[in-house]
Amino acid sequence: MTTLPPMAIESLQVERVWGGSRLAAGDTPIGERWGAFAGNRIANGPLVGKSLAEAARELEASLLGAPVVARFGARFPVLSKLLDTSEWLSVQLHPNDEQARELEGPEHVGKTEAWHLLDVDTDAEIILGLDDGVDRARFAEAVRAGATLDVLARQAAVSGETWFIPAGTVHALGPGLFLYEIQQASDITYRVYDWDRPASAGRELHLEQALRCVVPGAGERQPATAPLPGELHRLVACPYFALDKLALARDQAYRLDTGGQTFHALTAVQGRGRVVNEAGDAPLGEHETVIVPAVAGSYHIEASEPLIVLLASVQPK
């Protein structure tokens, strides 16, 4: 296969009890918009109508990159989301790969993630990690006594910051946040506290699993960044994903290259533009995602108005 065009993705909007109104108009609380997701379908080009999961199985390295396939197989390995919160999310954590296989089955993977805060209300907060000096035993004691909140690190949220949340880190998003999340493609969540909401289907607690997987500490917090137009800035990188931020002025273009090593998942968090290579192009609307296949190599982004793009990829070891 010589090359493929950029792929516009049909994003998925997800209703959540804690969702807000920034992702969709109406009375339904939309909490998440999934962009780079294995189940989402391709909206243009020769693979139109196929899901990213189907395309990954069919194309393997041409879509994902040979180093990505060697490490993760022919599956789409990440999930990107936009989140809009009007209430506290549950206090939760996720297992690492080994724990996920042990607790959930051999086909499962863990979940390391990162957040990039796009807009925050005054006094918005995030829970990230355990308070200083709180070890696993003290955390277990607090959880079993119904005093989970007493041992958690509560921190002010700041627009432009990036937060890295390794598997095992206790965390929760507060109300008044609009953010981008990149994560391993896993849906395993162990809740330890849900703000006294009714324990409805899909929102049960998982105390014993959480106590086996918790890692004391508070993750990593990166200061706010505001790249200049035409500047690509690395926000976070780990073995599972990397995240970069690109700002463009109106009518500005910026050239990028997959190097044949990884896909690029581009999400416009502000503004609109197009993604173009020799095989074709795809529109990049605000809050929408375009996937550039690894085989595409060189391509460029054209901004039709001031544009901020978050670029997720998997970096070779």
Side-chain angles (χ1 to χ4, degrees):
M1 180 174 294
T2 54
T3 191
L4 286 167
M7 302 172 177
I9 302 300
E10 297 177 357
S11 58
L12 174 68
Q13 297 198 144
V14 183
E15 181 179 352
R16 300 294 191 199
V17 296
W18 43 260
S21 58
R22 285 185 261 204
L23 291 172
D27 298 328
T28 301
I30 300 300
E32 300 179 353
R33 187 182 185 108
W34 295 11
F37 166 55
N40 283 355
R41 299 200 174 274
I42 299 164
N44 67 309
L47 298 171
V48 64
K50 290 184 181 290
S51 70
L52 280 175
E54 292 168 334
R57 289 193 296 268
E58 179 179 329
L59 298 178
E60 297 188 351
S62 293
L63 173 61
L64 302 173
V68 178
V69 174
R71 290 166 59 195
F72 302 113
R75 65 178 187 87
F76 201 77
V78 299
L79 167 59
S80 71
K81 306 175 180 178
L82 294 169
L83 291 90
D84 178 20
T85 70
S86 66
E87 300 178 12
W88 275 100
L89 278 67
S90 62
V91 178
Q92 59 187 246
L93 58 86
H94 313 289
N96 61 30
D97 290 342
E98 182 179 352
Q99 293 163 340
R101 290 190 292 268
E102 178 186 351
L103 294 172
E104 305 294 337
E107 72 280 10
H108 288 277
V109 298
K111 183 174 171 182
T112 286
E113 60 190 299
W115 302 326
H116 182 65
L117 305 187
L118 302 171
D119 188 34
V120 305
D121 290 352
T122 304
D123 299 327
E125 293 183 306
I126 287 171
I127 288 171
L128 188 64
L130 307 183
D131 264 339
D132 291 342
V134 176
D135 59 13
R136 295 169 66 101
R138 175 71 183 93
F139 177 67
E141 178 184 320
V143 167
R144 291 181 172 130
T148 303
L149 294 180
D150 295 343
V151 296
L152 303 180
R154 209 156 166 161
Q155 306 185 48
V158 177
S159 292
E161 288 189 333
T162 302
W163 301 58
F164 179 61
I165 305 102
T169 305
V170 179
H171 58 279
L173 293 166
L177 299 171
F178 184 52
L179 66 141
Y180 171 97
E181 177 180 301
I182 182 68
Q183 61 164 85
Q184 288 179 263
S186 169
D187 62 357
I188 304 173
T189 294
Y190 297 146
R191 293 182 186 86
V192 295
Y193 180 70
D194 201 21
W195 308 94
D196 299 322
R197 294 184 184 107
S200 58
R203 297 202 66 82
E204 63 272 14
L205 301 182
H206 314 86
L207 302 186
E208 295 309 313
Q209 298 98 317
L211 294 177
R212 290 181 62 179
C213 298
V214 65
V215 176
E220 298 178 19
R221 181 178 185 174
Q222 303 296 327
T225 59
L228 297 172
E231 178 180 88
L232 184 71
H233 179 76
R234 172 61 51 88
L235 298 175
V236 67
C238 71
Y240 302 106
F241 52 77
L243 184 63
D244 296 282
K245 185 176 185 178
L246 173 67
L248 294 176
R250 182 187 303 272
D251 298 326
Q252 188 175 17
Y254 191 88
R255 186 165 295 280
L256 291 152
D257 200 319
T258 67
Q261 301 296 296
T262 177
F263 61 90
H264 285 180
L266 310 170
T267 299
V269 296
Q270 178 184 311
R272 301 174 184 276
R274 298 192 75 79
V275 185
V276 182
N277 77 342
E278 64 182 49
D281 66 310
L284 182 60
E286 190 166 63
H287 301 163
E288 297 292 349
T289 295
V290 168
I291 302 294
V292 180
V295 74
S298 177
Y299 69 96
H300 64 273
I301 302 172
E302 301 172 349
S304 54
E305 57 188 74
L307 177 65
I308 297 176
V309 175
L310 295 179
L311 187 166
S313 62
V314 178
Q315 296 299 299
K317 285 187 175 180

